[in-house]
Amino acid sequence: MTTTSRVALVTGGSGGIGRVTVERLVADGFAVAVHYAGNRAKADDTVAQIVAAGGEAVAVGGDVADEIAMTELFDTVEAEFGGIDVVVNTAGRMILGPVAEFDLDQFDAMMRTNVRGTFVVSQLAAKRVRAGGAIVNFSSTVVKLAMPTYAPYAATKGAVDAMTLILARELRGRDITVNVVAPGPTATPLFLDGKDDATVERLSKAAPLERLGEPADIAEAVAFLAGPARWVNGQVIYVNGGIA
């Protein structure tokens, strides 16, 4: 069992914002459980790099919407590191399309990962995270931008906002903060997939800082909530360069 003082679990930690968040938390001295859904090789690669650099990490897999799989995952992390202090939910899916034409099977699949998955992991985190810890869920700035074709995705993230802010109040007296990070346009495969160059260029100029966010920008906000931000609780933190 490790003697590391703080332990983090990052869902979707094998790629995109998740992987950079893992690396940022390791830099802050966390031992990290790197969750993956389908690509174990990427998670193993992340863990190998962390361990080679002297950090502590383990790869853990499973469907975030499967409560049995996630219970086993939490058990594994606790057995490996002795407890859990921070849970970060970056796992998610984004499928775009107009409401009138949107495929309901795709809508259900996105709801399963983004809403049920966040709920399942948050439920377990509420029971398992140690005093002084933090739960950080992921939403999106698109919830308040009202952009065409984003309605199904924004609906799932609006649900994340609601459940997270209520959970913060339900954990009264536990010394556990619960917040949401809501990125704006960020240069990740999830965001860039299916967008032509003109669309990416237009979105990159939307914020006053006139660039897309980088995963490191988002990870910095997560690290703040996971560490020193003990008086930030029950909030949606928009990390979007001022786009809204």
Side-chain angles (χ1 to χ4, degrees), residues 5-189:
S5 59
R6 304 200 78 205
V7 177
L9 163 63
V10 180
T11 71
S14 61
I17 291 172
R19 178 164 181 160
V20 177
T21 296
V22 165
E23 293 167 349
R24 181 65 177 81
L25 292 176
V26 168
D28 282 350
F30 281 84
V32 180
V34 182
H35 163 267
Y36 64 92
N39 194 332
R40 175 160 190 166
K42 288 178 65 177
D44 285 342
D45 178 66
T46 302
V47 168
Q49 291 189 35
I50 292 168
V51 172
E56 293 184 272
V58 61
V60 288
D63 176 3
V64 289
D66 182 336
E67 66 273 24
I68 296 174
M70 287 301 100
T71 298
E72 293 174 351
L73 182 150
F74 271 74
D75 290 343
T76 298
V77 177
E78 289 180 338
E80 181 73 20
F81 294 127
I84 301 175
D85 300 287
V86 173
V87 172
V88 183
N89 274 306
T90 76
R93 300 182 66 181
M94 182 169 66
I95 306 170
L96 305 182
V99 171
E101 302 169 9
F102 203 81
D103 182 88
L104 291 179
D105 288 339
Q106 290 189 321
F107 182 76
D108 289 343
M110 193 161 49
M111 288 289 289
R112 176 177 172 80
T113 298
N114 295 0
V115 180
R116 180 184 170 91
T118 299
F119 191 93
V120 167
V121 174
S122 294
Q123 185 178 69
L124 287 164
K127 299 174 182 177
R128 304 284 194 101
V129 167
R130 296 185 285 206
I135 300 169
V136 182
N137 288 330
F138 262 66
S139 179
S140 173
T141 296
V142 300
V143 172
K144 65 176 182 176
L145 289 180
M147 297 167 60
T149 75
Y150 279 83
Y153 177 69
T156 68
K157 293 306 187 178
V160 170
D161 288 352
M163 71 174 76
T164 305
L165 302 192
I166 292 170
L167 179 59
R169 287 146 182 83
E170 292 179 345
L171 294 186
R172 174 182 290 273
R174 293 274 307 281
D175 191 24
I176 296 170
T177 62
V178 190
N179 293 289
V180 179
V181 168
T186 305
T188 66

Side-chain angles (χ1 to χ4, degrees), residues 222-235:
V222 175
F224 176 62
L225 294 172
R230 300 308 304 166
W231 197 234
V232 180
N233 189 30
Q235 305 297 318

